[in-house]
Amino acid sequence: MTKTPRELAETMLGCIDKGDWAGVLAITSPDYVVHEPPELPFGGDWKGQDALIRLFPHVWSYWDDVVVDRLGILTDENYFCLQLRMTMTSKLTGNRISTSLAETTRCVDGLMVEYTIHYHDCALVAREAGPPRPGAGRRGGDP
């Protein structure tokens, strides 16, 4: 039996909490894509089943003391949306910032296929993160 979007969300979050990236891969489509806002230094399309595995450490490399508060999960038959608040310290400026996020995931046949991230204050995140860093591996493993 295939997982519902809510079950996928709960499985993904549980796997991330445990550092179980094999568990994340098991619920991710081979054609998976994560869309980060293009104006961010880690922005763009991160493609491939391992996109989250490459994206997380790259995004976290801009911040210290990251705290992610999970505010809710909204679902329908094809999507789940995570409502989050991220609070973090910029490695560039030392400023402690906080912003809300909505992360929307499209699901097909019990797999996550597309993940779009919306920051409430994208300009703040971009300013505090600073310039892009090399080696992001955004597009299917390119350096």
Side-chain angles (χ1 to χ4, degrees):
M1 189 163 116
T2 61
K3 292 182 182 276
T4 67
R6 178 166 295 280
E7 290 168 333
L8 287 170
E10 291 169 351
T11 299
M12 180 191 74
L13 292 171
C15 288
I16 289 171
D17 287 347
K18 295 183 285 190
D20 177 9
W21 292 107
V24 173
L25 288 174
I27 60 169
T28 304
S29 166
D31 299 324
Y32 188 62
V33 62
V34 179
H35 306 287
E36 280 277 6
E39 59 269 31
L40 295 178
F42 41 85
D45 292 340
W46 294 69
K47 297 178 181 178
Q49 192 169 23
D50 67 342
L52 280 179
I53 296 169
R54 289 180 284 113
L55 175 63
F56 267 58
H58 188 69
V59 171
W60 270 207
S61 75
Y62 289 85
W63 314 107
D64 284 323
D65 306 316
V66 177
V67 176
V68 179
D69 294 312
R70 296 178 184 151
L71 306 176
I73 302 173
L74 305 172
T75 65
D76 70 10
E77 62 275 359
N78 299 309
Y79 289 87
F80 68 81
C81 179
L82 303 177
Q83 296 177 301
L84 308 169
R85 171 159 296 283
M86 280 183 67
T87 305
M88 57 260 184
T89 301
S90 168
K91 288 184 177 179
L92 177 69
T93 68
N95 292 333
R96 187 97 176 131
I97 66 168
S98 185
T99 189
S100 58
L101 294 89
E103 299 182 348
T104 304
T105 299
R106 185 168 60 91
C107 307
V108 176
D109 297 329
L111 295 175
M112 301 185 305
V113 297
E114 186 176 27
Y115 191 58
T116 304
I117 302 170
H118 307 275
Y119 294 81
H120 175 72
D121 195 342
C122 205
L124 172 67
V125 174
R127 183 175 63 248
E128 292 296 325
R133 296 193 180 134
R138 288 183 185 103
R139 291 164 181 85
D142 292 345

